[in-house]
Amino acid sequence: MFPYPSGMLHMGHVRVYTISDAIQRFRKMKGYNVVHPMGWDAFGLPAENAAIERGIHPAEWTKKNIAAMKEQMSKLFTTCDPEYYKWTQYIFLQLYEAGLAYQKEAVVNWDPVDKTVLANEQVDPEGKSWRSGALVERKKLKQWFFKDLLKDIDRLKNWPDRVKQMQRNWIGKSTGAEFKFDIISKTLQDSIKVFTSRPDTIYGVQYLVLAPDHPLIAKENLPGEQANSVLEFVEDLKKKQSMDAAEESKKGVFTGLYAKNPFTKEDIPVYVAPYVLSDYGTGAVMGVPAHDKRDFEFCKVNQVVDDVRFVVEPTIKEVGKELDLNSPFTAEGVLTELSGPFKGMKSKAAAKEILKEAQKIGVGKPAIQFRLKDWLLSRQRYWGAPIPIIHCPTCNVVPVPKEDLPVLLPLDVEFSGKGQSPLAHKEDWLNCQCPKCHGPAKRETDTMDTFVDSSWYFMRYTDSKNKSLPFDSAKASSLLPVDIYIGGVEHAILHLLYSRFISKALFKQGAFTETTKTEPGHGEPFNILLTQCMLDYANPKIIETGETPLISFEKMSKSKYNGVDPVSVISESGVDPTRLHILYKAPPSEMLEWENYSIVGMQRWLAKVLKLSQTLSTRALKGLPELNTMNSAEKEMYRFTNQTIKQITESMMSTYSFNTVISDLIKLTNHISSSKDLKPESEVYQHAVASLVKMVAPMAPSTSEECWEILGQERSVFEQSWPDFDPNALETQQLNCIIQVNGKTRLNMTISKDVANNSSEIERLVRESEVGQKWLLNKHIKKLIIAKEGELVNFVI
């Protein structure tokens, strides 16, 4: 995943890019055709806020950071480059023409600090902005949206389960029914549609509640005696600093309207309250106080009805214990006699039968609702790709002709980051000619959310020099989807949801194609998702006071000003030890608590690998002898080497557990170093050292290149093939033998398989051992029993 160039790189960035670099180097050595690009997610609030804080232009700040960050990085582009965002604008127009991008007035999340609109996904569970931390307000503004296309989570077999569950929870699929409640009015011929996931409680509906911005909440629709109080209540809500507090209060107002329950035929009151959202379901909910906690509390606070109607009761009831009427029964159960003809049916069965009846009489139908709504993509800020739309007084909304792209973001503007975007005051940019009628018109001053830019860059890399299209369909089709996508788990909802949307939308438009063998398929952008947890910084300080907080670690972040500079760490410890340290400290999926005092362990290990290479510096690498011609020491070294190759290959191909990979390599290094029976002249010894150097290469490339050169090789180690393991070598030539005396275990010893069935040789070895002398010295062996092919030996004395 691209980094934001809103500040300098820190060790958290080093972690994710070291992981991806190690994987791509390994895959290249395995013979894959690897595309491993790098670039910058350069538009958006983080960069703009950082620039405002320093009193410089976002373009200048961004380019300075990119220059500082891109040492040793190549093949990059930036999302703020007109040659890139031209195609972001092109994709927007494609989606607009397909009806997937549209503009509407909506209640939006407003960040009072950053002065911009936030998508629902950018508001945390406490109602605060994902970036500034400010308490989010609600405003009604005209905004641009993308229509939701997300499905197919179950196709993502190579994604972490927790990421898939996070997306499922965010999308929030609910299956149920939509019922129609006719309004009782001589002047208003209308009905209220309500979604519910509990059709079995329809007989318990005692009131309805509308969202404050529901179409029925208008003066012409409300009875005169209630209209003013209702509209005043709604206007007061708009002034609330925190809508969450208003929702929690459970306060509502009677609208004066009544609707008919289609099953009980009762006239029930209609209320308005802030806890009902216009963009979820139908903007109306049915009040079932006996079977919903929120409805029960609302009913009590607003004194809606005196007698709460319980239409479902527990399936199993305690003898002599009555149902508690002072709290709602929210579980499924058995319908009571108040449910009419459905009395005695269990909830699930009753829901199906009630829905059938609703369809039969025309008052309901099956329905599915999603918590995730269409993606709000427009932002009232400067540093982003301009939305390619023109507003004409005659022609209304007119897309910019594709041949006029890109709509350039002007750089000569003044801005403070507060209030309207400076684009709204840039007259020579704002005022333009309508492409349709050629009359005077104005450009759209909102810019696109930075997530739009970063949601398709991986597609551009399939054909990054294309001047006429975002990418060639044939080239993209041959390379997509991305095989392995690596990034922080904190992007599980925002970036990954948006990337899936853009990819599936373009797939639907025919921008690229798939075969029947494509995995995951259906336009999904990423096959394997490797998420790494954040990197925590040890011993954080409170910036303002310099005091040490109670916590010992906190997330390393540019916005927290606690990032550890990679340059200083690498200058002190070396690039390869730093890479190895960050890979070894924790698996990618776990939190890494950063400290640099233990890097010395990696330095010592690399020195050991270098020393092993130097033992072969004057010798040409030879071919291996046949397995059946090797002596026991050679066979054991060959087995250990091949076992390590097998384990590391499996880890690098599937689990990506770099900590165990490095641990296995250290074990192989120690095994070679401790070998007393093999000399550097041995072809098996040389094979072990050469294999070690190759396997270290993806994680410690500089040291491995040096070692490979010491071994007398002229071509780069990365031009070599990854070592293959020999399955015949994996069978150990030794076994662990349990020695018993008169049926009692006295010692364990390792013996060669060659003597496993040789009773005289086993007796000799045991008698020569220290423990064997204790039990067998001067003892006559009546019988020697060998079992389990030499794994168990019993001396009968």
Side-chain angles (χ1 to χ4, degrees):
M1 296 179 186
F2 276 7
Y4 284 125
S6 54
M8 302 299 286
L9 287 172
H10 56 66
M11 293 308 298
H13 296 100
V14 173
R15 187 184 193 195
V16 65
Y17 301 126
T18 299
I19 290 170
S20 70
D21 184 64
I23 291 174
Q24 71 90 13
R25 289 177 185 274
F26 163 75
R27 290 276 180 164
K28 185 177 180 182
M29 292 177 76
K30 283 289 288 180
Y32 288 85
N33 182 18
V34 178
V35 179
H36 181 241
M38 185 60 195
W40 313 102
D41 190 4
F43 267 144
L45 278 176
E48 184 170 343
N49 286 344
I52 291 169
E53 195 175 304
R54 293 160 177 80
I56 62 176
H57 195 286
E60 181 185 350
W61 171 249
T62 299
K63 288 175 182 177
K64 278 185 177 179
N65 283 324
I66 288 173
M69 285 181 176
K70 75 173 189 177
E71 286 183 38
Q72 301 178 340
M73 293 184 180
S74 60
K75 298 182 183 175
L76 79 157
F77 55 70
T78 69
T79 59
C80 68
D81 188 328
E83 285 301 310
Y84 178 81
Y85 72 71
K86 167 184 179 177
W87 300 115
T88 301
Q89 293 171 339
Y90 178 96
I91 290 171
F92 175 92
L93 293 177
Q94 290 286 98
L95 299 180
Y96 178 78
E97 290 169 5
L100 296 175
Y102 65 96
Q103 191 177 36
K104 71 172 182 179
E105 196 171 65
V107 175
V108 296
N109 304 307
W110 180 258
D111 185 327
V113 172
D114 283 340
K115 304 292 183 186
T116 191
V117 168
L118 301 173
N120 290 333
E121 296 84 355
Q122 295 169 323
V123 181
D124 70 17
E126 296 180 354
K128 295 179 180 179
S129 166
W130 75 292
R131 192 74 195 176
S132 72
L135 197 63
V136 172
E137 301 172 2
R138 303 276 181 86
K139 278 191 176 186
K140 203 164 190 176
L141 295 174
K142 202 169 234 186
Q143 296 290 300
W144 284 94
F145 293 82
F146 283 148
K147 286 187 178 177
D148 169 47
L149 288 175
L150 290 178
K151 295 178 184 175
D152 300 327
I153 288 179
D154 291 333
R155 299 185 69 87
L156 306 176
K157 297 175 183 177
N158 297 315
W159 283 38
D161 287 337
R162 65 170 174 161
V163 172
K164 291 190 284 187
Q165 193 56 46
M166 288 166 75
Q167 292 209 356
R168 281 193 192 97
N169 292 342
W170 188 257
I171 293 170
K173 181 180 179 180
S174 295
T175 303
E178 184 179 280
F179 290 114
K180 184 174 70 170
F181 294 76
D182 290 330
I183 295 172
I184 310 302
S185 173
K186 293 180 180 178
T187 58
L188 183 61
Q189 301 297 315
D190 207 340
S191 62
I192 299 172
K193 293 178 180 178
V194 178
F195 171 80
T196 178
S197 60
R198 291 288 303 274
D200 58 313
T201 63
I202 187 68
Y203 281 84
V205 179
Q206 294 182 276
Y207 62 91
L208 300 179
V209 187
L210 304 179
D213 54 343
H214 192 283
L216 284 175
I217 305 302
K219 192 164 188 177
E220 62 271 19
N221 296 330
L222 302 172
E225 59 272 24
Q226 264 87 25
N228 288 336
S229 62
V230 172
L231 296 177
E232 283 176 14
F233 175 75
V234 171
E235 283 302 312
D236 285 343
L237 289 175
K238 294 178 182 177
K239 301 171 187 175
K240 296 285 185 185
Q241 177 74 14
S242 171
M243 282 296 288
D244 290 337
E247 292 170 13
E248 287 298 320
S249 73
K250 301 297 185 294
K251 181 65 179 172
V253 171
F254 177 48
T255 63
L257 296 172
Y258 287 86
K260 188 175 290 293
N261 184 319
F263 279 79
T264 66
K265 306 303 179 185
E266 292 177 301
D267 293 348
I268 57 177
V270 179
Y271 281 71
V272 61
Y275 78 83
V276 184
L277 306 177
S278 61
D279 60 352
Y280 181 76
T282 60
V285 299
M286 58 190 212
V288 188
H291 303 292
D292 184 274
K293 184 175 183 292
R294 183 185 59 189
D295 294 351
F296 186 85
E297 292 172 352
F298 182 87
C299 183
K300 294 296 183 185
V301 169
N302 296 281
Q303 300 178 336
V304 181
V305 294
D306 295 326
D307 297 319
V308 173
R309 183 182 297 130
F310 285 81
V311 297
V312 180
E313 62 184 5
T315 305
I316 301 174
K317 296 186 290 185
E318 290 185 36
V319 177
K321 185 176 181 181
E322 296 294 323
L323 186 64
D324 181 9
L325 303 180
N326 295 314
S327 62
F329 174 66
T330 59
E332 293 183 340
V334 177
L335 274 61
T336 69
E337 59 185 10
L338 294 177
S339 294
F342 305 98
K343 172 191 173 184
M345 297 180 69
K346 290 186 177 179
S347 288
K348 278 190 169 59
K352 292 179 182 177
E353 293 303 316
I354 287 170
L355 190 49
K356 282 182 185 177
E357 182 65 18
Q359 289 177 280
K360 182 179 176 182
I361 62 178
V363 297
K365 62 181 181 180
I368 294 175
Q369 289 290 338
F370 294 91
R371 178 177 175 269
L372 178 67
K373 291 294 139 182
D374 293 349
W375 172 12
L376 191 161
L377 66 105
S378 50
R379 297 290 178 268
Q380 292 66 51
R381 292 296 290 259
Y382 163 73
W383 193 236
I387 294 176
I389 291 291
I390 290 169
H391 297 281
C392 173
T394 304
C395 308
N396 296 320
V397 176
V398 181
V400 171
K402 290 175 183 174
E403 58 268 21
D404 291 344
L405 297 180
V407 177
L408 292 172
L409 185 69
L411 299 180
D412 54 336
V413 295
E414 294 181 5
F415 67 98
S416 64
K418 308 296 181 185
Q420 271 191 309
S421 162
L423 297 178
H425 308 292
K426 180 70 174 168
E427 295 293 330
D428 58 340
W429 181 88
L430 178 66
N431 296 308
C432 61
Q433 189 180 71
C434 173
K436 259 188 173 180
C437 68
H438 305 294
K442 292 185 181 294
R443 295 191 186 279
E444 173 64 66
T445 57
D446 283 358
T447 55
M448 286 187 242
D449 182 5
T450 182
F451 286 108
V452 182
D453 302 296
S454 62
S455 292
W456 74 279
Y457 65 80
F458 48 90
M459 297 179 172
R460 180 64 175 171
Y461 276 122
T462 65
D463 191 16
S464 62
K465 304 299 182 183
N466 197 317
K467 299 289 185 182
S468 56
L469 286 170
F471 48 82
D472 177 74
S473 177
K475 289 182 179 179
S477 300
S478 68
L479 291 170
L480 294 174
V482 174
D483 291 290
I484 306 174
Y485 197 47
I486 305 164
V489 72
E490 67 271 23
H491 300 297
I493 292 175
L494 292 172
H495 170 61
L496 291 173
L497 272 177
Y498 298 151
S499 295
R500 291 182 63 219
F501 167 83
I502 292 290
S503 181
K504 293 171 87 67
L506 292 177
F507 175 69
K508 192 175 180 181
Q509 295 298 304
F512 63 97
T513 60
E514 297 175 341
T515 70
T516 55
K517 295 181 180 180
T518 301
E519 294 289 343
H522 288 207
E524 290 290 345
F526 313 119
N527 185 11
I528 297 172
L529 177 67
L530 176 57
T531 55
Q532 102 283 342
C533 275
M534 295 178 184
L535 190 147
D536 279 3
Y537 176 62
N539 305 315
K541 298 284 185 184
I542 299 172
I543 295 172
E544 189 173 341
T545 64
E547 296 174 358
T548 301
L550 296 177
I551 60 172
S552 57
F553 286 89
E554 71 168 348
K555 173 193 171 185
M556 194 178 291
S557 169
K558 295 189 293 291
S559 62
K560 291 178 181 287
Y561 301 97
N562 65 357
V564 175
D565 179 17
V567 174
S568 62
V569 176
I570 290 168
S571 297
E572 181 180 337
S573 304
V575 64
D576 282 352
T578 302
R579 285 168 61 105
L580 289 166
H581 177 67
I582 210 164
L583 292 173
Y584 185 62
K585 283 282 289 180
S589 59
E590 293 182 13
M591 189 72 72
L592 191 157
E593 296 178 345
W594 174 257
E595 47 71 29
N596 56 12
Y597 56 80
S598 58
I599 295 182
V600 65
M602 295 297 108
Q603 291 173 321
R604 289 170 181 162
W605 172 49
L606 287 179
K608 210 169 185 179
V609 175
L610 192 63
K611 187 176 179 180
L612 283 176
S613 302
Q614 289 168 344
T615 64
L616 305 181
S617 60
T618 60
R619 297 172 176 85
L621 296 181
K622 303 174 185 176
L624 279 167
E626 293 295 325
L627 181 60
N628 57 9
T629 65
M630 296 181 188
N631 61 37
S632 58
E634 289 175 329
K635 285 181 179 178
E636 178 57 20
M637 177 66 74
Y638 191 56
R639 183 199 66 78
F640 200 99
T641 302
N642 278 276
Q643 184 64 48
T644 304
I645 294 170
K646 181 177 183 292
Q647 290 171 183
I648 290 177
T649 303
E650 289 172 353
S651 294
M652 295 292 282
M653 287 293 289
S654 56
T655 64
Y656 310 108
S657 301
F658 292 98
N659 56 324
T660 60
V661 166
I662 294 170
S663 176
D664 288 339
L665 288 170
I666 291 173
K667 289 176 184 175
L668 178 59
T669 305
N670 292 336
H671 187 81
I672 299 171
S673 300
S674 62
S675 174
K676 297 177 181 177
D677 298 325
L678 285 183
K679 302 299 180 186
E681 292 81 8
S682 166
E683 294 91 337
V684 176
Y685 181 97
Q686 294 174 8
H687 169 262
V689 173
S691 298
L692 172 67
V693 172
K694 289 180 183 178
M695 290 189 288
V696 171
M699 290 154 291
S702 300
T703 304
S704 296
E705 286 283 28
E706 184 177 352
C707 291
W708 195 244
E709 187 175 327
I710 289 171
L711 295 180
Q713 306 302 303
E714 295 181 0
R715 296 173 61 189
S716 167
V717 68
F718 294 106
E719 293 182 35
Q720 312 306 311
S721 294
W722 183 261
D724 291 321
F725 70 89
D726 181 355
N728 296 321
L730 299 183
E731 186 177 348
T732 179
Q733 299 304 307
Q734 296 179 316
L735 55 82
N736 184 46
C737 181
I738 299 172
I739 306 298
Q740 295 181 338
V741 178
N742 290 340
K744 292 184 179 180
T745 300
R746 298 307 183 187
L747 75 149
N748 291 346
M749 65 186 304
T750 301
I751 65 172
S752 170
K753 281 187 175 182
D754 295 338
V755 301
N757 293 304
N758 189 331
S759 57
S760 60
E761 182 63 18
I762 292 175
E763 181 179 346
R764 183 186 68 79
L765 291 170
V766 173
R767 285 186 181 279
E768 287 178 355
S769 70
E770 184 178 345
V771 177
Q773 288 178 13
K774 175 182 176 182
W775 294 100
L776 299 182
L777 184 65
N778 300 323
K779 297 286 176 63
H780 172 65
I781 309 299
K782 292 181 180 179
K783 192 175 185 181
L784 192 155
I785 303 169
I786 300 174
K788 297 184 179 180
E789 298 181 346
E791 292 183 4
L792 178 64
V793 175
N794 184 25
F795 289 88
V796 180
I797 60 175

